[in-house]
Amino acid sequence: MKKDIYRVFSSNMIKMVVTFLSAFIVPMVLSVVSYGYLKSYQFYASYIGITHLGFCDGIYLFYGGKNERSLSKKDISVQWSSLLLYEVVIATIFILFGILGKNLIVICVGATIVPNVIFTFYSYIFQAVGDFTNYTLIINIYSVINMLINLILVLLKVRDYRIYMILYVFIETVPFFVGTYLFAKKDWVTFTKFNPKIFKKFIKAGILLMIGNFAYSIFIGIDKWFIKFTLPIKDFSMFSFASQMLTVVNMFITPIAMTLYSNISKRQDHYFEIQIKKVLVCILMVIPLTIYALEFVIYNFMTRYIQAISITSILLITQIFLSLNVAVFVNLYKAYKKQKEYFIRLMASLIVAIVIDIIIVFIKPNTMSFAFSTMISCFIWLLLNLKYFPYMQPEKKEKVYVFGLLLIYLLTLYVDNIFFKLVIYLLSYLLMTKQLMSEQWKYFTKYVKRYL
């Protein structure tokens, strides 16, 4: 498991650096409004996953924990062909709709559908059987192409967001072609015809999880939907920029979340799950240190986005709660085949978020209020998950550790000097981790000494 986490971590480190650099250099060239339109395309494209109706989720659940040698080449080829033909039809409808409406954003979203969904199919099988070597290879190639194209556009000082959008569609096709090549090497992509029985089978198996994932996408993006339709494009741009800054958090969480499902499915060991959660908590509480670095960069090089600093400060706390939910509890629901319970608790949290956002709209809509709304709903979701898995309830020391560090982090927001902020939080983190999370502290120090 450690090798898998390290492999995915390294790959996501590269991807994060590319995304992080793009998040800074692209806004330096584009105007705030143009950046808002570009992020609109990426925001809409993030919901493409709903088009497969749970087929990929059914595949993920079906192959979870299986040995790659036991996989049937013929079955995977039929599954791949059925999904590909279906998605081509859906993409064609979107593209035609965009052409008729003369909407380039819709056209680009349509052109992204097939490569996006088919790559999801590839990645889910690789993750389910534990083949993280091929998975990370695809991500690394994607990251390199992404970086090169963004650098070329920025160096040429291209200021038309439409050019970025069209080339981003090309970037999204890279994992599709690489994944197809890797599948072809395993004889997994022999083209057959559309099989309605196979299609229905996996939709039935994964529809609930897909609805849950779609609800999750709505849940984490509900603030953006309200901002998109109640505030000017500049506010959407500012909020999107703040959200983009948190890609560094995903760099740490994604490797753990991806590798946990397979391991939890095989072990189903409560002690293992508790220890993973505690280690993750310690990792997450390091993340606030990134805010101070972001502040320095924005204040010195991107003054037009100073407003995004306060938004990012709130979204970071949201990300801590969200990461615990996604990396630990969502995997627990999947591993123990509790999709229905997962969906119920997620929907309850989503309803809370929508109600709060509607209230904000009627009182006084602004980006900070919507950010607070998302933080509250993420925390409620965490409480509901803890209630369903009572053995995962944090001990008193763990509660003091988390809320104590969050309080210190919030207090540092009122300190003007960035260096002092960093020192105060870093010393607090080291002291509280050693005293309140002693087992994890010993594990980390032992691990560090081994590699020094």
Side-chain angles (χ1 to χ4, degrees), residues 25 119 130 165 193 211 223 250 302 308 329 334 408 452:
I25 63 176
F119 170 65
M165 197 161 57
K193 61 182 180 179
I211 294 173
D223 43 13
N250 296 326
M302 306 184 71
F329 292 103
K334 291 178 182 177
I408 292 170
L452 284 179

Side-chain angles (χ1 to χ4, degrees), residues 19-68:
T19 306
F20 197 62
L21 288 174
S22 299
F24 276 108
I25 63 176
V26 172
M28 287 181 179
V29 177
L30 295 178
S31 67
V32 174
V33 172
S34 292
Y35 183 70
Y37 286 122
L38 176 61
K39 297 306 293 183
S40 295
Y41 153 71
Q42 294 177 327
F43 179 54
Y44 296 145
S46 67
Y47 291 93
I48 284 174
I50 192 177
T51 61
H52 63 71
L53 303 177
F55 185 93
C56 292
D57 299 284
I59 290 289
Y60 187 58
L61 293 173
F62 180 76
Y63 288 112
K66 290 190 176 182
N67 191 301
E68 184 178 323

